[in-house]
Amino acid sequence: MELQRSVCFAEPPIAVNQHPAYYKIVNLHQTCSIVDAAFDAALSPFGLSSAQWDVLRLLREHPGASGADVARCAKVTPQAVATMLQRLEKAELITRHSARGRVVETYLTPQGESLLKKGDRIAKQIEAQVFSGFSAEEQEQFNQYLLRCRANLNSDEYRQEQ
C-alpha cells in the first residue's frame, strides 16, 4: 500500500504570509493529516475509520473501560464517543454491560478483535512507508521526540494556559 500523493503536499509549500516560527507545527499538522487520510482510506474497505480503530485499540488495552474513560484517553467529547460506541455495538464489534452502578463497561467482541488486528497490520504497513529511508536509530529518535512533544502538551503548565 502506498500513501496517495497529493499535489498540494508534493513539495514544501511556499511561505506566503507565514511566519517561519510556524513551519514545524504546520509540517507536523500536514503530515498527520496525510497519515490520517491514508489510514482512513486503507481501513474503509473494512467499514472502519481510524478513529474507530483507535477506540478499539483503547478497549483492547483497557478492557471494561467506560465511555468516559475512552473519551479521556482518546481526547474527544463523551458525546462523540457515545455515538461511536453505539455504532461499534451495532456492528457487533463491542459489547457493553452495566457493571458498576450506572457505569457501562465496554469489551471487544471476537469480531472486533479480528478487525482490530487487520487495522494493526494496516498501521504497520503505513508506518513502514512513512519511515522508509529512516535508520532504526532515526526512527527511535523521532519517536522519542514525538513522546516529548506529547508530554510537553500534557504538562500542567500548558493546561493552565488554556
Side-chain angles (χ1 to χ4, degrees):
M1 167 194 334
E2 185 169 321
L3 295 176
Q4 297 218 345
R5 307 265 183 235
S6 173
V7 174
C8 63
F9 297 116
E11 295 295 323
I14 297 172
V16 178
N17 297 323
Q18 185 180 3
H19 192 277
Y22 298 126
Y23 291 164
K24 293 180 291 296
I25 197 70
V26 169
N27 286 334
L28 180 61
H29 184 268
Q30 289 176 346
T31 301
C32 289
S33 294
I34 293 168
V35 170
D36 278 346
F39 200 33
D40 278 330
L43 289 170
S44 69
F46 302 105
L48 200 62
S49 69
S50 60
Q52 291 170 323
W53 172 80
D54 195 38
V55 167
L56 295 177
R57 185 188 58 76
L58 286 167
L59 291 171
R60 176 178 55 203
E61 293 172 9
H62 306 282
S66 69
D69 295 335
V70 172
R72 274 190 293 281
C73 288
K75 306 231 185 293
V76 298
T77 66
Q79 296 85 353
V81 167
T83 301
M84 187 179 300
L85 292 176
Q86 288 171 352
R87 289 184 183 144
L88 292 171
E89 187 173 29
K90 186 176 180 180
E92 299 180 352
L93 301 176
I94 63 169
T95 59
R96 304 180 78 202
H97 308 285
S98 294
R100 300 175 274 155
R102 294 187 324 182
V103 175
V104 177
E105 294 181 340
T106 310
Y107 298 92
L108 290 175
T109 64
Q111 184 179 342
E113 182 66 39
S114 175
L115 197 54
L116 179 57
K117 287 178 183 177
K118 289 177 184 176
D120 291 345
R121 285 191 293 274
I122 290 168
K124 286 179 194 266
Q125 291 170 346
I126 291 173
E127 182 178 289
Q129 186 176 354
V130 167
F131 291 103
S132 64
F134 283 67
S135 69
E137 182 181 334
E138 289 171 324
Q139 289 180 48
E140 181 55 32
Q141 188 174 29
F142 185 82
N143 192 51
Q144 292 304 313
Y145 292 150
L146 290 174
L147 291 172
R148 193 183 320 164
C149 289
R150 196 167 76 190
N152 291 343
L153 290 175
N154 283 330
S155 72
D156 288 335
E157 180 181 319
Y158 174 76
R159 278 183 265 168
Q160 290 172 3
E161 293 174 8
Q162 296 303 309

